[in-house]
Amino acid sequence: MTDPVPATNPFRLLPSVDQLVAAADGLGLARPLATLLAKRALESLRARIAAGEWDAAGFAAFVERGGVLREIEDAAAKERRAGIARVVNATGVVLNTGLGRAPVHPEAAERMAEVARSYCVLEVDRDTNQRNQRDDRISELTTRLVGGEAAICVNNCAAAVLLALQTFAGGKECVVSRGELVEIGGSFRMPAVMERAGVKLVEVGTTNRTRAADFEGAIRVRTGLLLKVHTSNYRVVGFTEECEIDELARIGASHRVPVVFDLGSGLIDPDGATPLDFLDEHWTVTRAIASGCDAVTFSGDKLFGGPQAGFVVGKRDAIRAMRKNPLYRALRLDKSAIAGLERTLELMLEGRGDELPARRMLVAKADELRPLAERLAAEIGAVPGFAAEVVAERSQPGSGSAPHVFLDTFCVAVSRGDLSTERLARTLREGEPPVFARINGDRLLLDVRTLLPGDDAALAAAFRNLP
Ligand SMILES: *Cc1c(COP(=O)(O)O)cnc(C)c1O
């Protein structure tokens, strides 16, 4: 048989894995990683050749230009960028879920790091050396801050809702208004969560109107829970009516059925802190608890401004029942989150709520932000190739909190003649430190509202370092 493949077969121009690993020696990769990336690069090139991306001459030219080595260089650069890393948030979305929601207070971060690298009194009482509950202190501090008799803390608010549902309505029925069967974030759909928690969903009312009588009429022997969900991420406007939580709490009490209010964003109004009333949130956590319902759930890393967590606060019996649920063991917090939450709670109780980064960003007024925007525009404008100007814009609270509320702000609009806006945004994300900006039409906006102390210098440096 004759060989049907001509001598210029592009596959034959590919180096061996060993050759490519040797060529990539200067990249400083550990040997196993270099081998892995070389194999993947060759595999991808083979697939692209097979797909007809090059003819024989074209591929020879690609090899000649060092294209094969560049494949592994790009993969190595991507590897260095992979994983969780600090970024500069210039999007103007304060509680940006993609960027980790609330940055914690430096003192909370310090506590988190300290307990992470050491042993700590996680589940033992220092006075008696007896076992205790890891969130005893959180429970104490939380009730001091927002009222209620006790609290329990889990991994996030979704876990808090799951625990409440399963504890009170597992194998039973949970009554919810049709107007509140929401999806929160990616895939947390109330009806689906209930199904998985073994809870039978009983929907009452209509999308726009649900009355107290609808709930009363749905209560049966098998009713385990009346649930109210704060529809923080959308709004029904116009001809609407809902059964308010105080009324629902009364109905629950008279039928001896627990009532839980899922607040989600969880607005706290601590003494000595600037009120966040401009968010137009009717329910603070304190007010929700005072309504008389059995438990309120809310996030640790939304308006509360702490690490990722989910609070359940309310009546002692309700909290005790949740603590006894074996599921709690699977949902409980780790020591670092506990340390961060304790410090965040203490700061608010000490009257230092305004120091919490997320709160500080939310309350900042446009004219307070302007000087920073002007300074940054001057620094970025001085980088060769860049044009930068200050523009009036609007920021957002984020994470479904007050989606209809916009906050007046100032942004730096930047451009570079040789780069499209998309390309510039990408270059910034890949830079050091990575910068996430907002794209508005053909403008790249850097919103100074969401910059942390020191971010302005990092941001200017990121521009100077751009390729
Ligand atoms: C955001 C939200 C949740 C989920 O909170 P996570 O802490 O992200 O799990 C649950 N319920 C409501 C109403 C929310 O807004």
Side-chain angles (χ1 to χ4, degrees):
M1 273 197 20
T2 55
D3 188 349
V5 185
T8 50
N9 175 353
F11 291 103
R12 294 205 177 152
L13 296 176
L14 287 174
S16 69
V17 172
D18 285 343
Q19 285 168 330
L20 188 50
V21 168
D25 196 38
L27 299 179
L29 302 171
R31 184 90 194 177
L33 179 59
T35 307
L36 178 72
L37 297 185
K39 281 184 180 159
R40 283 191 188 160
L42 293 170
E43 226 168 77
S44 137
L45 287 172
R46 265 186 227 107
R48 287 162 64 188
I49 295 168
E53 189 167 329
W54 296 278
D55 61 13
F59 192 69
F62 174 82
V63 173
E64 194 59 34
R65 286 196 309 270
V68 180
L69 187 59
R70 203 150 47 244
E71 290 288 309
I72 194 166
E73 283 169 355
D74 289 350
K78 197 164 176 191
E79 176 78 16
R80 278 192 296 276
R81 290 195 300 269
I84 192 163
R86 177 213 158 190
V87 304
V88 172
N89 176 11
T91 64
V93 180
V94 177
L95 301 168
N96 191 316
T97 297
L99 303 183
R101 290 204 187 148
V104 302
H105 190 281
E107 289 178 25
E110 182 56 43
R111 292 263 188 105
M112 294 175 82
E114 188 175 76
V115 299
R117 58 176 171 251
S118 65
Y119 294 103
C120 57
V121 280
L122 181 62
E123 285 190 352
V124 59
D125 185 297
R126 277 162 80 175
D127 296 336
T128 62
N129 202 26
Q130 300 292 305
R131 277 297 276 272
N132 64 4
Q133 293 290 339
R134 59 178 57 206
D135 52 359
D136 278 350
R137 176 75 177 157
I138 292 181
S139 174
E140 170 68 25
L141 295 175
T142 305
T143 53
R144 281 187 211 168
L145 184 67
V146 296
E149 297 169 353
I152 186 170
C153 235
V154 288
N155 194 40
N156 50 31
C157 187
V161 173
L162 175 67
L163 185 62
L165 281 171
Q166 214 285 327
T167 302
F168 301 115
K172 297 190 193 169
E173 294 177 353
C174 174
V175 187
V176 193
S177 160
R178 276 207 173 81
E180 296 172 7
L181 287 170
V182 292
E183 171 174 317
I184 300 138
S187 53
F188 194 74
R189 288 186 164 186
M190 274 302 167
V193 173
M194 287 197 197
E195 194 187 318
R196 292 300 178 108
V199 174
K200 182 162 187 295
L201 168 63
V202 176
E203 302 172 35
V204 293
T206 60
T207 306
N208 58 333
R209 304 197 88 184
T210 302
R211 300 178 184 86
D214 295 324
F215 277 94
E216 295 244 48
I219 295 177
R220 313 192 288 157
V221 186
R222 293 175 43 74
T223 307
L225 182 68
L226 308 181
L227 178 69
K228 183 163 182 66
V229 183
H230 183 46
T231 54
S232 43
N233 57 3
Y234 84 110
R235 247 188 185 191
V236 181
V237 293
F239 186 57
T240 65
E241 181 171 351
E242 64 180 303
C243 178
E244 291 294 354
I245 189 65
D246 9 29
E247 205 166 1
L248 199 61
R250 269 199 302 280
I251 296 170
S254 71
H255 291 84
R256 296 176 173 277
V257 177
V259 176
V260 169
F261 190 3
D262 175 26
L263 275 177
S265 46
L267 177 60
I268 315 279
D269 196 9
D271 282 344
T274 311
L276 303 181
D277 45 9
F278 54 88
L279 292 181
D280 199 21
E281 278 283 346
H282 181 64
W283 291 103
T284 61
V285 173
T286 306
R287 281 189 65 192
I289 292 168
S291 73
C293 65
D294 293 84
V296 166
T297 55
F298 62 96
S299 277
D301 54 352
K302 292 188 184 171
L303 293 175
F304 181 83
Q308 182 189 306
F311 284 88
V312 192
V313 194
K315 299 201 170 141
R316 194 168 285 109
D317 288 348
I319 302 302
R320 192 182 295 129
M322 283 184 247
R323 203 178 282 290
K324 279 210 222 130
N325 187 331
L327 263 188
Y328 167 64
R329 176 65 178 73
L331 305 174
R332 68 183 189 181
L333 285 175
D334 79 295
K335 59 180 182 173
S336 282
I338 290 172
L341 288 173
E342 285 186 6
R343 191 68 200 124
T344 307
L345 285 160
E346 285 166 0
L347 286 165
M348 283 194 260
L349 287 163
E350 289 164 11
R352 295 171 63 191
D354 277 349
E355 285 182 32
L356 293 173
R359 285 189 88 96
R360 205 177 46 219
M361 290 173 185
L362 287 168
V363 302
K365 295 268 187 301
D367 36 320
E368 295 160 13
L369 296 168
R370 185 168 201 151
L372 177 55
E374 280 167 355
R375 217 162 51 237
L376 259 179
E379 286 199 59
I380 295 168
V383 179
F386 278 100
E389 61 166 331
V390 174
V391 293
E393 266 287 335
R394 298 199 303 167
S395 329
Q396 279 200 277
S399 84
S401 308
H404 53 288
V405 172
F406 292 87
L407 311 166
D408 286 335
T409 190
F410 284 99
C411 290
V412 183
V414 292
S415 58
R416 201 173 90 174
D418 60 336
L419 288 180
S420 69
T421 307
E422 295 287 344
R423 187 70 228 173
L424 179 56
R426 181 177 177 152
T427 308
L428 283 168
R429 290 197 306 272
E430 290 176 355
E432 194 48 54
V435 175
F436 282 70
R438 180 155 92 231
I439 294 176
N440 189 350
D442 56 357
R443 291 215 291 196
L444 189 84
L445 300 174
L446 304 169
D447 191 331
V448 297
R449 177 180 297 280
T450 43
L451 298 184
L452 288 161
D455 273 355
D456 49 338
L459 193 49
F463 275 86
R464 284 193 295 270
N465 295 338
L466 283 187

PDB file of all heavy atoms in Angstrom, residues 101 156-159 161 182 184 188 190 229-233 262-265 298-302 308-310 399-400, ligand 1:
ATOM      1  N   ARG A 101     -20.324  39.345  46.598  1.00  0.00           N
ATOM      2  CA  ARG A 101     -21.227  40.135  47.458  1.00  0.00           C
ATOM      3  C   ARG A 101     -20.477  41.053  48.417  1.00  0.00           C
ATOM      4  O   ARG A 101     -19.564  41.749  48.023  1.00  0.00           O
ATOM      5  CB  ARG A 101     -22.184  39.206  48.197  1.00  0.00           C
ATOM      6  CG  ARG A 101     -23.197  38.579  47.250  1.00  0.00           C
ATOM      7  CD  ARG A 101     -24.444  38.161  47.999  1.00  0.00           C
ATOM      8  NE  ARG A 101     -25.355  37.421  47.146  1.00  0.00           N
ATOM      9  CZ  ARG A 101     -26.146  36.473  47.584  1.00  0.00           C
ATOM     10  NH1 ARG A 101     -26.152  36.134  48.858  1.00  0.00           N
ATOM     11  NH2 ARG A 101     -26.961  35.868  46.754  1.00  0.00           N
ATOM     12  N   ASN A 156     -26.107  29.711  54.135  1.00  0.00           N
ATOM     13  CA  ASN A 156     -26.622  30.870  53.384  1.00  0.00           C
ATOM     14  C   ASN A 156     -28.121  30.943  53.614  1.00  0.00           C
ATOM     15  O   ASN A 156     -28.686  30.084  54.298  1.00  0.00           O
ATOM     16  CB  ASN A 156     -26.279  30.779  51.882  1.00  0.00           C
ATOM     17  CG  ASN A 156     -26.637  29.444  51.283  1.00  0.00           C
ATOM     18  OD1 ASN A 156     -27.592  28.803  51.722  1.00  0.00           O
ATOM     19  ND2 ASN A 156     -25.895  29.005  50.302  1.00  0.00           N
ATOM     20  N   CYS A 157     -28.751  31.944  53.041  1.00  0.00           N
ATOM     21  CA  CYS A 157     -30.181  32.102  53.309  1.00  0.00           C
ATOM     22  C   CYS A 157     -30.988  30.975  52.656  1.00  0.00           C
ATOM     23  O   CYS A 157     -32.018  30.563  53.177  1.00  0.00           O
ATOM     24  CB  CYS A 157     -30.660  33.472  52.837  1.00  0.00           C
ATOM     25  SG  CYS A 157     -32.347  33.841  53.313  1.00  0.00           S
ATOM     26  N   ALA A 158     -30.497  30.472  51.532  1.00  0.00           N
ATOM     27  CA  ALA A 158     -31.176  29.345  50.894  1.00  0.00           C
ATOM     28  C   ALA A 158     -31.209  28.143  51.850  1.00  0.00           C
ATOM     29  O   ALA A 158     -32.231  27.456  51.973  1.00  0.00           O
ATOM     30  CB  ALA A 158     -30.465  28.971  49.596  1.00  0.00           C
ATOM     31  N   ALA A 159     -30.111  27.919  52.555  1.00  0.00           N
ATOM     32  CA  ALA A 159     -30.043  26.828  53.536  1.00  0.00           C
ATOM     33  C   ALA A 159     -30.974  27.112  54.708  1.00  0.00           C
ATOM     34  O   ALA A 159     -31.605  26.195  55.254  1.00  0.00           O
ATOM     35  CB  ALA A 159     -28.610  26.646  54.026  1.00  0.00           C
ATOM     36  N   VAL A 161     -33.779  28.777  54.601  1.00  0.00           N
ATOM     37  CA  VAL A 161     -35.150  28.507  54.143  1.00  0.00           C
ATOM     38  C   VAL A 161     -35.390  27.001  54.065  1.00  0.00           C
ATOM     39  O   VAL A 161     -36.424  26.494  54.509  1.00  0.00           O
ATOM     40  CB  VAL A 161     -35.395  29.171  52.767  1.00  0.00           C
ATOM     41  CG1 VAL A 161     -36.742  28.762  52.203  1.00  0.00           C
ATOM     42  CG2 VAL A 161     -35.311  30.692  52.891  1.00  0.00           C
ATOM     43  N   VAL A 182     -41.166  32.652  44.172  1.00  0.00           N
ATOM     44  CA  VAL A 182     -40.122  33.286  43.371  1.00  0.00           C
ATOM     45  C   VAL A 182     -38.931  32.367  43.117  1.00  0.00           C
ATOM     46  O   VAL A 182     -38.733  31.361  43.783  1.00  0.00           O
ATOM     47  CB  VAL A 182     -39.615  34.559  44.071  1.00  0.00           C
ATOM     48  CG1 VAL A 182     -40.701  35.615  44.064  1.00  0.00           C
ATOM     49  CG2 VAL A 182     -39.150  34.272  45.481  1.00  0.00           C
ATOM     50  N   ILE A 184     -34.880  32.763  43.197  1.00  0.00           N
ATOM     51  CA  ILE A 184     -33.870  33.668  43.735  1.00  0.00           C
ATOM     52  C   ILE A 184     -32.524  33.264  43.183  1.00  0.00           C
ATOM     53  O   ILE A 184     -32.091  32.131  43.364  1.00  0.00           O
ATOM     54  CB  ILE A 184     -33.848  33.596  45.274  1.00  0.00           C
ATOM     55  CG1 ILE A 184     -35.205  34.003  45.827  1.00  0.00           C
ATOM     56  CG2 ILE A 184     -32.754  34.464  45.836  1.00  0.00           C
ATOM     57  CD1 ILE A 184     -35.667  33.154  46.942  1.00  0.00           C
ATOM     58  N   PHE A 188     -32.581  28.751  42.675  1.00  0.00           N
ATOM     59  CA  PHE A 188     -33.297  28.511  43.923  1.00  0.00           C
ATOM     60  C   PHE A 188     -34.759  28.885  43.726  1.00  0.00           C
ATOM     61  O   PHE A 188     -35.185  29.993  43.998  1.00  0.00           O
ATOM     62  CB  PHE A 188     -32.665  29.334  45.055  1.00  0.00           C
ATOM     63  CG  PHE A 188     -33.110  28.916  46.438  1.00  0.00           C
ATOM     64  CD1 PHE A 188     -32.639  27.751  47.015  1.00  0.00           C
ATOM     65  CD2 PHE A 188     -33.985  29.699  47.164  1.00  0.00           C
ATOM     66  CE1 PHE A 188     -33.038  27.377  48.287  1.00  0.00           C
ATOM     67  CE2 PHE A 188     -34.392  29.332  48.434  1.00  0.00           C
ATOM     68  CZ  PHE A 188     -33.920  28.170  49.005  1.00  0.00           C
ATOM     69  N   MET A 190     -38.521  28.404  44.715  1.00  0.00           N
ATOM     70  CA  MET A 190     -39.266  27.962  45.892  1.00  0.00           C
ATOM     71  C   MET A 190     -40.015  26.636  45.687  1.00  0.00           C
ATOM     72  O   MET A 190     -39.857  25.733  46.486  1.00  0.00           O
ATOM     73  CB  MET A 190     -40.243  29.042  46.350  1.00  0.00           C
ATOM     74  CG  MET A 190     -39.621  30.040  47.275  1.00  0.00           C
ATOM     75  SD  MET A 190     -38.930  29.242  48.749  1.00  0.00           S
ATOM     76  CE  MET A 190     -37.984  30.610  49.369  1.00  0.00           C
ATOM     77  N   VAL A 229     -42.615  35.098  51.583  1.00  0.00           N
ATOM     78  CA  VAL A 229     -41.326  35.352  50.934  1.00  0.00           C
ATOM     79  C   VAL A 229     -41.279  36.808  50.501  1.00  0.00           C
ATOM     80  O   VAL A 229     -42.191  37.293  49.825  1.00  0.00           O
ATOM     81  CB  VAL A 229     -41.136  34.441  49.698  1.00  0.00           C
ATOM     82  CG1 VAL A 229     -39.760  34.669  49.084  1.00  0.00           C
ATOM     83  CG2 VAL A 229     -41.313  32.981  50.076  1.00  0.00           C
ATOM     84  N   HIS A 230     -40.230  37.491  50.923  1.00  0.00           N
ATOM     85  CA  HIS A 230     -40.051  38.884  50.513  1.00  0.00           C
ATOM     86  C   HIS A 230     -39.600  38.869  49.060  1.00  0.00           C
ATOM     87  O   HIS A 230     -38.524  38.366  48.748  1.00  0.00           O
ATOM     88  CB  HIS A 230     -38.993  39.531  51.397  1.00  0.00           C
ATOM     89  CG  HIS A 230     -38.773  40.974  51.106  1.00  0.00           C
ATOM     90  ND1 HIS A 230     -39.804  41.865  50.935  1.00  0.00           N
ATOM     91  CD2 HIS A 230     -37.643  41.695  50.974  1.00  0.00           C
ATOM     92  CE1 HIS A 230     -39.318  43.061  50.713  1.00  0.00           C
ATOM     93  NE2 HIS A 230     -37.994  42.997  50.721  1.00  0.00           N
ATOM     94  N   THR A 231     -40.439  39.406  48.191  1.00  0.00           N
ATOM     95  CA  THR A 231     -40.120  39.336  46.758  1.00  0.00           C
ATOM     96  C   THR A 231     -39.166  40.477  46.435  1.00  0.00           C
ATOM     97  O   THR A 231     -39.503  41.426  45.740  1.00  0.00           O
ATOM     98  CB  THR A 231     -41.402  39.448  45.915  1.00  0.00           C
ATOM     99  OG1 THR A 231     -42.088  40.644  46.315  1.00  0.00           O
ATOM    100  CG2 THR A 231     -42.306  38.269  46.146  1.00  0.00           C
ATOM    101  N   SER A 232     -37.929  40.327  46.939  1.00  0.00           N
ATOM    102  CA  SER A 232     -36.990  41.438  46.833  1.00  0.00           C
ATOM    103  C   SER A 232     -36.543  41.702  45.401  1.00  0.00           C
ATOM    104  O   SER A 232     -36.233  42.830  45.053  1.00  0.00           O
ATOM    105  CB  SER A 232     -35.775  41.164  47.724  1.00  0.00           C
ATOM    106  OG  SER A 232     -35.354  39.830  47.619  1.00  0.00           O
ATOM    107  N   ASN A 233     -36.506  40.662  44.582  1.00  0.00           N
ATOM    108  CA  ASN A 233     -35.931  40.881  43.256  1.00  0.00           C
ATOM    109  C   ASN A 233     -36.945  41.182  42.155  1.00  0.00           C
ATOM    110  O   ASN A 233     -36.603  41.279  41.000  1.00  0.00           O
ATOM    111  CB  ASN A 233     -35.032  39.713  42.858  1.00  0.00           C
ATOM    112  CG  ASN A 233     -35.746  38.384  42.879  1.00  0.00           C
ATOM    113  OD1 ASN A 233     -36.945  38.325  43.145  1.00  0.00           O
ATOM    114  ND2 ASN A 233     -35.038  37.316  42.611  1.00  0.00           N
ATOM    115  N   ASP A 262     -39.298  34.778  54.945  1.00  0.00           N
ATOM    116  CA  ASP A 262     -37.983  34.800  54.291  1.00  0.00           C
ATOM    117  C   ASP A 262     -37.732  36.194  53.736  1.00  0.00           C
ATOM    118  O   ASP A 262     -38.301  36.589  52.726  1.00  0.00           O
ATOM    119  CB  ASP A 262     -37.929  33.758  53.160  1.00  0.00           C
ATOM    120  CG  ASP A 262     -36.618  33.848  52.400  1.00  0.00           C
ATOM    121  OD1 ASP A 262     -35.618  34.302  52.993  1.00  0.00           O
ATOM    122  OD2 ASP A 262     -36.588  33.492  51.210  1.00  0.00           O
ATOM    123  N   LEU A 263     -36.846  36.923  54.404  1.00  0.00           N
ATOM    124  CA  LEU A 263     -36.570  38.309  54.018  1.00  0.00           C
ATOM    125  C   LEU A 263     -35.485  38.421  52.948  1.00  0.00           C
ATOM    126  O   LEU A 263     -35.390  39.420  52.254  1.00  0.00           O
ATOM    127  CB  LEU A 263     -36.093  39.099  55.239  1.00  0.00           C
ATOM    128  CG  LEU A 263     -37.152  39.703  56.148  1.00  0.00           C
ATOM    129  CD1 LEU A 263     -36.464  40.363  57.326  1.00  0.00           C
ATOM    130  CD2 LEU A 263     -37.990  40.726  55.397  1.00  0.00           C
ATOM    131  N   GLY A 264     -34.621  37.428  52.871  1.00  0.00           N
ATOM    132  CA  GLY A 264     -33.541  37.493  51.875  1.00  0.00           C
ATOM    133  C   GLY A 264     -32.506  38.550  52.188  1.00  0.00           C
ATOM    134  O   GLY A 264     -31.532  38.288  52.885  1.00  0.00           O
ATOM    135  N   SER A 265     -32.740  39.766  51.694  1.00  0.00           N
ATOM    136  CA  SER A 265     -31.695  40.785  51.819  1.00  0.00           C
ATOM    137  C   SER A 265     -31.456  41.231  53.258  1.00  0.00           C
ATOM    138  O   SER A 265     -30.336  41.610  53.599  1.00  0.00           O
ATOM    139  CB  SER A 265     -32.009  41.975  50.923  1.00  0.00           C
ATOM    140  OG  SER A 265     -33.345  42.344  51.070  1.00  0.00           O
ATOM    141  N   PHE A 298     -32.666  35.532  56.720  1.00  0.00           N
ATOM    142  CA  PHE A 298     -32.001  36.531  55.869  1.00  0.00           C
ATOM    143  C   PHE A 298     -30.532  36.165  55.670  1.00  0.00           C
ATOM    144  O   PHE A 298     -29.964  35.361  56.404  1.00  0.00           O
ATOM    145  CB  PHE A 298     -32.149  37.957  56.429  1.00  0.00           C
ATOM    146  CG  PHE A 298     -31.531  38.175  57.786  1.00  0.00           C
ATOM    147  CD1 PHE A 298     -30.250  38.707  57.898  1.00  0.00           C
ATOM    148  CD2 PHE A 298     -32.210  37.858  58.944  1.00  0.00           C
ATOM    149  CE1 PHE A 298     -29.672  38.925  59.140  1.00  0.00           C
ATOM    150  CE2 PHE A 298     -31.647  38.064  60.199  1.00  0.00           C
ATOM    151  CZ  PHE A 298     -30.377  38.593  60.301  1.00  0.00           C
ATOM    152  N   SER A 299     -29.942  36.792  54.656  1.00  0.00           N
ATOM    153  CA  SER A 299     -28.565  36.490  54.252  1.00  0.00           C
ATOM    154  C   SER A 299     -27.546  37.223  55.108  1.00  0.00           C
ATOM    155  O   SER A 299     -27.778  38.355  55.533  1.00  0.00           O
ATOM    156  CB  SER A 299     -28.335  36.951  52.806  1.00  0.00           C
ATOM    157  OG  SER A 299     -28.782  35.989  51.911  1.00  0.00           O
ATOM    158  N   GLY A 300     -26.375  36.614  55.268  1.00  0.00           N
ATOM    159  CA  GLY A 300     -25.277  37.276  55.957  1.00  0.00           C
ATOM    160  C   GLY A 300     -24.490  38.204  55.050  1.00  0.00           C
ATOM    161  O   GLY A 300     -23.849  39.143  55.508  1.00  0.00           O
ATOM    162  N   ASP A 301     -24.540  37.950  53.737  1.00  0.00           N
ATOM    163  CA  ASP A 301     -23.662  38.708  52.833  1.00  0.00           C
ATOM    164  C   ASP A 301     -24.419  39.614  51.866  1.00  0.00           C
ATOM    165  O   ASP A 301     -23.884  40.031  50.849  1.00  0.00           O
ATOM    166  CB  ASP A 301     -22.726  37.760  52.069  1.00  0.00           C
ATOM    167  CG  ASP A 301     -23.463  36.650  51.335  1.00  0.00           C
ATOM    168  OD1 ASP A 301     -24.681  36.505  51.535  1.00  0.00           O
ATOM    169  OD2 ASP A 301     -22.821  35.925  50.560  1.00  0.00           O
ATOM    170  N   LYS A 302     -25.667  39.914  52.193  1.00  0.00           N
ATOM    171  CA  LYS A 302     -26.357  40.955  51.418  1.00  0.00           C
ATOM    172  C   LYS A 302     -26.293  42.242  52.239  1.00  0.00           C
ATOM    173  O   LYS A 302     -25.202  42.681  52.571  1.00  0.00           O
ATOM    174  CB  LYS A 302     -27.792  40.512  51.104  1.00  0.00           C
ATOM    175  CG  LYS A 302     -27.846  39.334  50.126  1.00  0.00           C
ATOM    176  CD  LYS A 302     -29.275  39.039  49.693  1.00  0.00           C
ATOM    177  CE  LYS A 302     -29.357  37.821  48.796  1.00  0.00           C
ATOM    178  NZ  LYS A 302     -30.779  37.433  48.572  1.00  0.00           N
ATOM    179  N   GLN A 308     -20.605  35.098  53.827  1.00  0.00           N
ATOM    180  CA  GLN A 308     -21.738  34.281  53.383  1.00  0.00           C
ATOM    181  C   GLN A 308     -22.315  33.499  54.552  1.00  0.00           C
ATOM    182  O   GLN A 308     -21.592  32.789  55.256  1.00  0.00           O
ATOM    183  CB  GLN A 308     -21.291  33.293  52.305  1.00  0.00           C
ATOM    184  CG  GLN A 308     -22.455  32.455  51.794  1.00  0.00           C
ATOM    185  CD  GLN A 308     -22.000  31.325  50.896  1.00  0.00           C
ATOM    186  OE1 GLN A 308     -21.292  31.550  49.930  1.00  0.00           O
ATOM    187  NE2 GLN A 308     -22.400  30.117  51.226  1.00  0.00           N
ATOM    188  N   ALA A 309     -23.611  33.633  54.771  1.00  0.00           N
ATOM    189  CA  ALA A 309     -24.283  32.929  55.867  1.00  0.00           C
ATOM    190  C   ALA A 309     -25.780  33.122  55.710  1.00  0.00           C
ATOM    191  O   ALA A 309     -26.229  33.954  54.924  1.00  0.00           O
ATOM    192  CB  ALA A 309     -23.835  33.483  57.218  1.00  0.00           C
ATOM    193  N   GLY A 310     -26.536  32.329  56.434  1.00  0.00           N
ATOM    194  CA  GLY A 310     -27.985  32.514  56.478  1.00  0.00           C
ATOM    195  C   GLY A 310     -28.434  32.527  57.927  1.00  0.00           C
ATOM    196  O   GLY A 310     -28.100  31.619  58.692  1.00  0.00           O
ATOM    197  N   SER A 399     -27.600  42.113  44.143  1.00  0.00           N
ATOM    198  CA  SER A 399     -28.076  40.848  44.734  1.00  0.00           C
ATOM    199  C   SER A 399     -29.564  40.860  45.039  1.00  0.00           C
ATOM    200  O   SER A 399     -30.006  40.333  46.055  1.00  0.00           O
ATOM    201  CB  SER A 399     -27.262  40.472  45.976  1.00  0.00           C
ATOM    202  OG  SER A 399     -27.727  41.100  47.134  1.00  0.00           O
ATOM    203  N   GLY A 400     -30.338  41.443  44.127  1.00  0.00           N
ATOM    204  CA  GLY A 400     -31.792  41.410  44.274  1.00  0.00           C
ATOM    205  C   GLY A 400     -32.319  42.356  45.338  1.00  0.00           C
ATOM    206  O   GLY A 400     -33.513  42.432  45.574  1.00  0.00           O
TER     207      GLY A 400
HETATM  208  C1  LIG B   1     -31.198  36.231  48.169  1.00  0.00           C
HETATM  209  C2  LIG B   1     -32.383  35.566  48.749  1.00  0.00           C
HETATM  210  C3  LIG B   1     -32.318  34.253  49.231  1.00  0.00           C
HETATM  211  C4  LIG B   1     -31.065  33.444  49.124  1.00  0.00           C
HETATM  212  O1  LIG B   1     -30.042  33.965  49.918  1.00  0.00           O
HETATM  213  P1  LIG B   1     -28.562  33.339  49.830  1.00  0.00           P
HETATM  214  O2  LIG B   1     -27.902  33.878  51.051  1.00  0.00           O
HETATM  215  O3  LIG B   1     -27.992  33.813  48.550  1.00  0.00           O
HETATM  216  O4  LIG B   1     -28.705  31.870  49.865  1.00  0.00           O
HETATM  217  C5  LIG B   1     -33.446  33.705  49.768  1.00  0.00           C
HETATM  218  N1  LIG B   1     -34.607  34.388  49.829  1.00  0.00           N
HETATM  219  C6  LIG B   1     -34.721  35.661  49.367  1.00  0.00           C
HETATM  220  C7  LIG B   1     -36.044  36.356  49.454  1.00  0.00           C
HETATM  221  C8  LIG B   1     -33.607  36.291  48.817  1.00  0.00           C
HETATM  222  O5  LIG B   1     -33.723  37.549  48.371  1.00  0.00           O
END
